[in-house]
Amino acid sequence: TIMTEDLPPYGYLDKNNKVIGIATERVNKMLTCAKIDADFFVVPWSRAFQYVKSHKNSIIYSMVRNKTREKDFFWLGKVAVTNDHIYKLKSRTDIKFSNIDEMKHYTIGVMEDDFIVTLLKKHGFAAKKNLFYYLDSKIKVKLLLNKN
């Protein structure tokens, strides 16, 4: 079983419900070289993350590699190098911070089991205080646009 979240351009469903994307292509090439057939699924991040932690012979992609996760997974290769960002509406000129401690005055939307949650919790962030959990990345955009 191979899982990813809905994360264009890395992995997502096309109009025919086929999993496509640049990371999907790389994983497919690895499987083809190894002569392995597998089914691909797009599911919410936390579900994929928990599934592969508890099921042998399963794969998750695209996932941030960090010290916390290093020992829990067998890493096959790099898909991409990315930077993460905190977003706000352009109209919210009142939201300003220059360090992570100043961010504690705001609610930060995060996906459960995302690597950023571990970092924020180390800095004193907590659910129902200043962390809001959502299931997938499409929801975070809708929530951001609906809260002026």
Side-chain angles (χ1 to χ4, degrees):
T1 302
I2 301 178
M3 297 182 161
T4 191
E5 66 179 307
D6 183 24
L7 187 65
Y10 304 106
Y12 58 98
L13 294 173
D14 68 8
K15 63 184 176 188
N16 299 314
N17 284 327
K18 180 182 177 191
V19 184
I20 62 170
I22 57 176
T24 305
E25 289 173 17
R26 291 197 65 184
V27 172
N28 261 323
K29 285 181 185 177
M30 284 189 254
L31 293 172
T32 300
C33 288
K35 295 181 170 69
I36 297 172
D37 288 322
D39 295 319
F40 285 73
F41 299 94
V42 173
V43 297
W45 174 253
S46 185
R47 185 184 312 161
F49 188 76
Q50 293 303 322
Y51 183 89
V52 299
K53 284 177 64 176
S54 61
H55 290 80
K56 291 183 177 185
N57 298 320
S58 59
I59 295 174
I60 188 172
Y61 72 99
S62 308
M63 180 167 62
V64 170
R65 186 175 188 172
N66 61 24
K67 289 179 185 177
T68 306
R69 293 177 174 168
E70 187 70 32
K71 66 185 181 317
D72 293 331
F73 299 95
F74 180 78
W75 300 88
L76 295 175
K78 190 181 292 187
V79 173
V81 177
T82 63
N83 292 313
D84 288 287
H85 305 278
I86 301 287
Y87 298 95
K88 70 174 184 78
L89 292 175
K90 189 175 183 178
S91 61
R92 292 293 308 269
T93 56
D94 60 307
I95 298 176
K96 295 179 182 170
F97 51 84
S98 58
N99 61 56
I100 198 162
D101 286 326
E102 292 175 0
M103 290 170 47
K104 290 179 187 173
H105 301 291
Y106 305 99
T107 300
I108 309 295
V110 294
M111 282 193 297
E112 192 165 350
D113 295 318
D114 195 339
F115 81 98
I116 197 71
V117 174
T118 305
L119 174 69
L120 292 172
K121 284 183 174 180
K122 283 182 182 177
H123 286 276
F125 286 75
K128 298 182 182 176
K129 180 180 173 190
N130 45 20
L131 291 180
F132 176 82
Y133 290 92
Y134 54 84
L135 292 177
D136 66 55
S137 55
K138 289 181 180 177
I139 291 173
K140 74 179 173 187
V141 174
K142 288 179 184 177
L143 288 171
L144 182 65
L145 294 174
N146 287 330
K147 298 215 176 198
N148 292 328

